[in-house]
Amino acid sequence: MLVTDSRGAVAFDGAETAESDALDAPVVETIGAGDAFAAGFLAGVLTGLSLTGSLARGHRIATRALVSTRDHVD
C-alpha cells in the first residue's frame, strides 16, 4: 500500500512501513508529478530497493516533474 500527499508518502508492504517527507522544491507545474512518483517508486521496488529507497526514488523523480513544464525531462 502506498499513500501520498503534498507533505510526503507512506508505504507498507505487509511487513515493513516506511515514511518520507516530500522534497523541498519550487513547484512550477503539478501535472504528472503523481505519475512520476509512482514510476520512480515502482522502479525502486522492481530493482530491489528497500521501501525507504523506493520512496526516495519516487520523490526525486516527482520533484523533477514539479520543477518543469516540459513533457520530457533531460
Side-chain angles (χ1 to χ4, degrees):
M1 175 176 63
L2 176 65
V3 178
T4 65
D5 64 23
S6 62
R7 295 167 295 167
V10 178
F12 177 67
D13 68 1
E16 178 187 1
T17 299
E19 296 182 44
S20 65
D21 294 333
L23 300 177
D24 188 27
V27 176
V28 175
E29 177 64 63
T30 60
I31 294 174
D35 292 336
F37 182 91
F41 178 80
L42 290 174
V45 169
L46 293 173
T47 57
L49 291 180
S50 65
L51 280 182
T52 301
S54 296
L55 287 172
R57 182 175 282 181
H59 283 302
R60 286 193 306 272
I61 301 299
T63 298
R64 292 184 69 181
L66 288 168
V67 300
S68 176
T69 60
R70 297 181 58 202
D71 288 335
H72 182 272
V73 180
D74 297 323

